[in-house]
Short mmCIF file of all heavy atoms in Angstrom, two decimals:
data_model
loop_
_atom_site.label_atom_id
_atom_site.label_comp_id
_atom_site.label_asym_id
_atom_site.label_seq_id
_atom_site.Cartn_x
_atom_site.Cartn_y
_atom_site.Cartn_z
N SER A 1 41.54 -6.82 52.36
CA SER A 1 42.70 -6.11 52.91
C SER A 1 43.35 -6.78 54.13
O SER A 1 44.47 -6.43 54.50
CB SER A 1 42.29 -4.65 53.31
OG SER A 1 41.43 -4.71 54.44
N SER A 2 42.70 -7.78 54.69
CA SER A 2 43.26 -8.52 55.84
C SER A 2 43.40 -9.98 55.42
O SER A 2 42.44 -10.62 55.08
CB SER A 2 42.27 -8.42 57.03
OG SER A 2 42.89 -8.99 58.19
N PRO A 3 44.65 -10.44 55.41
CA PRO A 3 44.87 -11.82 54.85
C PRO A 3 44.29 -12.88 55.73
O PRO A 3 44.25 -12.81 56.93
CB PRO A 3 46.41 -11.94 54.86
CG PRO A 3 46.87 -10.94 55.92
CD PRO A 3 45.89 -9.81 55.91
N ALA A 4 43.85 -13.97 55.04
CA ALA A 4 43.35 -15.15 55.73
C ALA A 4 44.49 -15.83 56.44
O ALA A 4 45.68 -15.70 56.07
CB ALA A 4 42.71 -16.12 54.68
N PHE A 5 44.18 -16.66 57.39
CA PHE A 5 45.17 -17.33 58.24
C PHE A 5 44.66 -18.69 58.70
O PHE A 5 43.43 -18.95 58.64
CB PHE A 5 45.60 -16.44 59.40
CG PHE A 5 44.43 -16.01 60.27
CD1 PHE A 5 44.03 -16.78 61.34
CD2 PHE A 5 43.81 -14.83 60.00
CE1 PHE A 5 42.94 -16.38 62.17
CE2 PHE A 5 42.73 -14.40 60.78
CZ PHE A 5 42.30 -15.18 61.89
N ILE A 6 45.55 -19.58 59.17
CA ILE A 6 45.16 -20.87 59.62
C ILE A 6 45.35 -20.90 61.15
O ILE A 6 46.44 -20.65 61.67
CB ILE A 6 45.97 -22.00 58.95
CG1 ILE A 6 45.57 -22.03 57.45
CG2 ILE A 6 45.76 -23.31 59.58
CD1 ILE A 6 46.39 -23.06 56.65
N ILE A 7 44.30 -21.33 61.82
CA ILE A 7 44.37 -21.58 63.28
C ILE A 7 44.48 -23.12 63.50
O ILE A 7 43.75 -23.83 62.98
CB ILE A 7 43.12 -21.04 63.99
CG1 ILE A 7 43.15 -19.48 64.12
CG2 ILE A 7 42.98 -21.60 65.44
CD1 ILE A 7 44.24 -18.96 65.04
N GLU A 8 45.41 -23.44 64.34
CA GLU A 8 45.67 -24.82 64.65
C GLU A 8 45.01 -25.22 65.96
O GLU A 8 45.38 -24.69 67.00
CB GLU A 8 47.20 -25.11 64.75
CG GLU A 8 47.96 -24.79 63.42
CD GLU A 8 49.47 -25.07 63.53
OE1 GLU A 8 49.99 -25.06 64.67
OE2 GLU A 8 50.09 -25.20 62.50
N GLY A 9 43.99 -26.07 65.85
CA GLY A 9 43.33 -26.56 67.05
C GLY A 9 44.05 -27.82 67.54
O GLY A 9 45.16 -28.22 67.03
N THR A 10 43.49 -28.49 68.47
CA THR A 10 44.12 -29.68 69.12
C THR A 10 44.26 -30.80 68.09
O THR A 10 45.29 -31.42 67.95
CB THR A 10 43.28 -30.21 70.34
OG1 THR A 10 43.13 -29.10 71.25
CG2 THR A 10 44.02 -31.33 70.98
N ASN A 11 43.21 -30.99 67.33
CA ASN A 11 43.20 -32.09 66.36
C ASN A 11 42.85 -31.68 64.92
O ASN A 11 42.67 -32.54 64.06
CB ASN A 11 42.19 -33.19 66.75
CG ASN A 11 42.54 -33.76 68.17
OD1 ASN A 11 43.65 -34.27 68.37
ND2 ASN A 11 41.58 -33.70 69.11
N SER A 12 42.77 -30.36 64.68
CA SER A 12 42.44 -29.96 63.33
C SER A 12 42.96 -28.56 63.05
O SER A 12 43.36 -27.89 64.02
CB SER A 12 40.90 -30.02 63.15
OG SER A 12 40.29 -29.00 63.98
N LYS A 13 42.90 -28.14 61.78
CA LYS A 13 43.32 -26.85 61.44
C LYS A 13 42.17 -26.19 60.63
O LYS A 13 41.52 -26.89 59.80
CB LYS A 13 44.57 -26.89 60.53
CG LYS A 13 45.80 -27.40 61.27
CD LYS A 13 47.02 -27.46 60.36
CE LYS A 13 48.20 -27.99 61.12
NZ LYS A 13 49.40 -28.00 60.26
N THR A 14 41.99 -24.86 60.83
CA THR A 14 40.86 -24.13 60.24
C THR A 14 41.34 -22.91 59.48
O THR A 14 42.12 -22.11 60.05
CB THR A 14 39.79 -23.80 61.26
OG1 THR A 14 39.35 -24.96 61.88
CG2 THR A 14 38.58 -23.10 60.56
N LEU A 15 40.92 -22.73 58.24
CA LEU A 15 41.23 -21.57 57.47
C LEU A 15 40.33 -20.37 57.97
O LEU A 15 39.02 -20.55 57.94
CB LEU A 15 41.04 -21.73 56.03
CG LEU A 15 41.10 -20.56 55.10
CD1 LEU A 15 42.53 -19.98 55.06
CD2 LEU A 15 40.66 -20.79 53.69
N CYS A 16 40.83 -19.33 58.47
CA CYS A 16 40.03 -18.23 58.98
C CYS A 16 40.05 -17.04 57.97
O CYS A 16 41.18 -16.58 57.62
CB CYS A 16 40.53 -17.74 60.30
SG CYS A 16 40.39 -19.02 61.60
N ILE A 17 38.94 -16.56 57.58
CA ILE A 17 38.81 -15.48 56.59
C ILE A 17 38.25 -14.24 57.20
O ILE A 17 37.09 -14.22 57.61
CB ILE A 17 37.89 -15.94 55.42
CG1 ILE A 17 38.42 -17.23 54.80
CG2 ILE A 17 37.81 -14.80 54.35
CD1 ILE A 17 37.42 -18.01 53.99
N PRO A 18 39.04 -13.23 57.44
CA PRO A 18 38.56 -12.03 58.09
C PRO A 18 37.40 -11.37 57.25
O PRO A 18 37.52 -11.19 56.04
CB PRO A 18 39.81 -11.16 58.12
CG PRO A 18 40.93 -12.03 58.11
CD PRO A 18 40.50 -13.16 57.17
N THR A 19 36.34 -11.02 57.95
CA THR A 19 35.17 -10.46 57.30
C THR A 19 34.57 -9.30 58.11
O THR A 19 34.84 -9.16 59.28
CB THR A 19 34.06 -11.58 57.07
OG1 THR A 19 33.71 -12.06 58.41
CG2 THR A 19 34.59 -12.69 56.21
N ILE A 20 33.67 -8.59 57.41
CA ILE A 20 32.77 -7.66 58.11
C ILE A 20 31.50 -8.39 58.36
O ILE A 20 31.21 -9.42 57.81
CB ILE A 20 32.58 -6.35 57.27
CG1 ILE A 20 31.88 -6.71 55.95
CG2 ILE A 20 33.92 -5.71 57.04
CD1 ILE A 20 31.45 -5.48 55.19
N PHE A 21 30.65 -7.77 59.20
CA PHE A 21 29.38 -8.38 59.58
C PHE A 21 28.27 -7.30 59.54
O PHE A 21 28.34 -6.35 60.29
CB PHE A 21 29.47 -9.00 61.00
CG PHE A 21 28.22 -9.66 61.46
CD1 PHE A 21 27.39 -10.39 60.68
CD2 PHE A 21 27.84 -9.55 62.86
CE1 PHE A 21 26.27 -11.02 61.17
CE2 PHE A 21 26.72 -10.14 63.32
CZ PHE A 21 25.98 -10.87 62.51
N VAL A 22 27.33 -7.56 58.68
CA VAL A 22 26.15 -6.52 58.51
C VAL A 22 24.86 -7.20 58.60
O VAL A 22 24.72 -8.49 58.38
CB VAL A 22 26.29 -5.72 57.17
CG1 VAL A 22 27.62 -4.89 57.15
CG2 VAL A 22 26.22 -6.66 55.98
N SER A 23 23.84 -6.47 58.88
CA SER A 23 22.45 -7.01 58.91
C SER A 23 21.91 -7.21 57.48
O SER A 23 22.45 -6.69 56.53
CB SER A 23 21.52 -6.10 59.72
OG SER A 23 21.23 -4.92 58.99
N TYR A 24 20.76 -7.85 57.42
CA TYR A 24 20.11 -8.07 56.11
C TYR A 24 19.79 -6.73 55.47
O TYR A 24 19.83 -6.59 54.23
CB TYR A 24 18.84 -8.93 56.32
CG TYR A 24 18.01 -9.09 55.05
CD1 TYR A 24 18.47 -9.90 53.99
CD2 TYR A 24 16.76 -8.49 54.96
CE1 TYR A 24 17.73 -10.09 52.89
CE2 TYR A 24 16.02 -8.71 53.83
CZ TYR A 24 16.49 -9.46 52.75
OH TYR A 24 15.71 -9.68 51.69
N THR A 25 19.49 -5.73 56.26
CA THR A 25 19.15 -4.40 55.76
C THR A 25 20.32 -3.47 55.65
O THR A 25 20.20 -2.28 55.33
CB THR A 25 18.10 -3.75 56.69
OG1 THR A 25 18.49 -3.82 58.02
CG2 THR A 25 16.71 -4.44 56.47
N GLY A 26 21.57 -4.02 55.90
CA GLY A 26 22.74 -3.25 55.58
C GLY A 26 23.43 -2.54 56.73
O GLY A 26 24.57 -2.00 56.58
N GLU A 27 22.83 -2.59 57.97
CA GLU A 27 23.45 -1.94 59.08
C GLU A 27 24.64 -2.70 59.57
O GLU A 27 24.65 -3.91 59.66
CB GLU A 27 22.47 -1.66 60.28
CG GLU A 27 21.38 -0.71 59.96
CD GLU A 27 20.20 -1.42 59.35
OE1 GLU A 27 20.16 -2.61 59.16
OE2 GLU A 27 19.15 -0.69 59.12
N ALA A 28 25.68 -1.95 59.96
CA ALA A 28 26.90 -2.60 60.51
C ALA A 28 26.56 -3.22 61.93
O ALA A 28 26.06 -2.52 62.79
CB ALA A 28 28.03 -1.60 60.61
N LEU A 29 26.96 -4.50 62.10
CA LEU A 29 26.73 -5.15 63.37
C LEU A 29 28.06 -5.58 63.97
O LEU A 29 28.14 -6.49 64.80
CB LEU A 29 25.87 -6.41 63.17
CG LEU A 29 24.41 -6.14 62.70
CD1 LEU A 29 23.69 -7.49 62.44
CD2 LEU A 29 23.65 -5.33 63.76
N ASP A 30 29.13 -4.94 63.53
CA ASP A 30 30.50 -5.26 63.99
C ASP A 30 31.29 -3.96 64.25
O ASP A 30 30.81 -2.88 64.05
CB ASP A 30 31.17 -6.18 63.00
CG ASP A 30 31.46 -5.48 61.71
OD1 ASP A 30 30.90 -4.36 61.45
OD2 ASP A 30 32.29 -5.97 60.92
N TYR A 31 32.54 -4.21 64.68
CA TYR A 31 33.45 -3.04 64.92
C TYR A 31 34.28 -2.76 63.73
O TYR A 31 34.84 -1.65 63.56
CB TYR A 31 34.35 -3.38 66.10
CG TYR A 31 33.68 -3.23 67.47
CD1 TYR A 31 33.44 -4.34 68.27
CD2 TYR A 31 33.21 -1.97 67.89
CE1 TYR A 31 32.83 -4.16 69.51
CE2 TYR A 31 32.66 -1.83 69.12
CZ TYR A 31 32.38 -2.97 69.90
OH TYR A 31 31.75 -2.82 71.16
N LYS A 32 34.41 -3.77 62.81
CA LYS A 32 35.34 -3.65 61.73
C LYS A 32 34.82 -2.74 60.57
O LYS A 32 35.58 -1.95 59.97
CB LYS A 32 35.71 -4.97 61.12
CG LYS A 32 36.80 -4.97 60.11
CD LYS A 32 37.34 -6.37 59.74
CE LYS A 32 38.60 -6.28 59.02
NZ LYS A 32 39.23 -7.54 58.75
N THR A 33 33.55 -2.87 60.27
CA THR A 33 32.98 -2.10 59.17
C THR A 33 33.15 -0.57 59.32
O THR A 33 33.72 0.02 58.40
CB THR A 33 31.47 -2.43 58.99
OG1 THR A 33 31.36 -3.77 58.80
CG2 THR A 33 30.90 -1.65 57.87
N PRO A 34 32.81 0.01 60.48
CA PRO A 34 33.06 1.43 60.57
C PRO A 34 34.53 1.81 60.57
O PRO A 34 34.94 2.88 60.15
CB PRO A 34 32.33 1.85 61.88
CG PRO A 34 32.09 0.57 62.62
CD PRO A 34 32.01 -0.47 61.62
N LEU A 35 35.36 0.87 61.14
CA LEU A 35 36.80 1.18 61.14
C LEU A 35 37.34 1.29 59.72
O LEU A 35 38.05 2.23 59.40
CB LEU A 35 37.56 0.07 61.88
CG LEU A 35 39.13 0.20 61.83
CD1 LEU A 35 39.59 1.37 62.58
CD2 LEU A 35 39.77 -1.03 62.40
N LEU A 36 36.95 0.40 58.86
CA LEU A 36 37.40 0.44 57.44
C LEU A 36 36.90 1.71 56.78
O LEU A 36 37.65 2.33 56.03
CB LEU A 36 36.90 -0.81 56.73
CG LEU A 36 37.49 -2.16 57.13
CD1 LEU A 36 36.83 -3.28 56.38
CD2 LEU A 36 39.00 -2.19 56.89
N LYS A 37 35.70 2.14 57.12
CA LYS A 37 35.18 3.31 56.49
C LYS A 37 35.95 4.52 56.93
O LYS A 37 36.24 5.45 56.24
CB LYS A 37 33.67 3.50 56.88
CG LYS A 37 32.74 2.54 56.15
CD LYS A 37 31.28 2.77 56.57
CE LYS A 37 30.36 1.83 55.89
NZ LYS A 37 28.92 2.08 56.31
N SER A 38 36.25 4.53 58.28
CA SER A 38 37.04 5.69 58.84
C SER A 38 38.40 5.77 58.27
O SER A 38 38.98 6.91 58.13
CB SER A 38 37.03 5.58 60.37
OG SER A 38 37.94 4.55 60.85
N LEU A 39 39.05 4.64 57.98
CA LEU A 39 40.41 4.63 57.47
C LEU A 39 40.39 5.25 56.04
O LEU A 39 41.28 5.98 55.66
CB LEU A 39 40.96 3.20 57.45
CG LEU A 39 41.28 2.63 58.78
CD1 LEU A 39 41.63 1.13 58.65
CD2 LEU A 39 42.43 3.37 59.43
N LYS A 40 39.39 4.87 55.27
CA LYS A 40 39.25 5.48 53.91
C LYS A 40 38.96 6.96 53.96
O LYS A 40 39.55 7.75 53.22
CB LYS A 40 38.13 4.78 53.12
CG LYS A 40 37.96 5.28 51.67
CD LYS A 40 36.80 4.57 50.94
CE LYS A 40 36.85 5.03 49.42
NZ LYS A 40 36.71 6.55 49.33
#
């Protein structure tokens, strides 16, 4: 739902892919995961 984008550094460019972050056992370790759940 969040488009990828390119960040331009001093000598290189990087494709940035927005993601959520969770633990191996599934717990949210970021701010984005609960936000997406709350929006739904």
Side-chain angles (χ1 to χ4, degrees):
S1 68
S2 188
F5 55 89
I6 291 175
I7 285 290
E8 299 178 341
T10 306
N11 299 306
S12 66
K13 297 180 181 180
T14 303
L15 172 69
C16 298
I17 302 158
T19 59
I20 62 170
F21 179 40
V22 298
S23 72
Y24 176 69
T25 48
E27 292 90 0
L29 296 175
D30 66 344
Y31 284 113
K32 188 169 194 175
T33 301
L35 175 65
L36 292 174
K37 290 180 178 180
S38 74
L39 291 170
K40 183 181 184 303

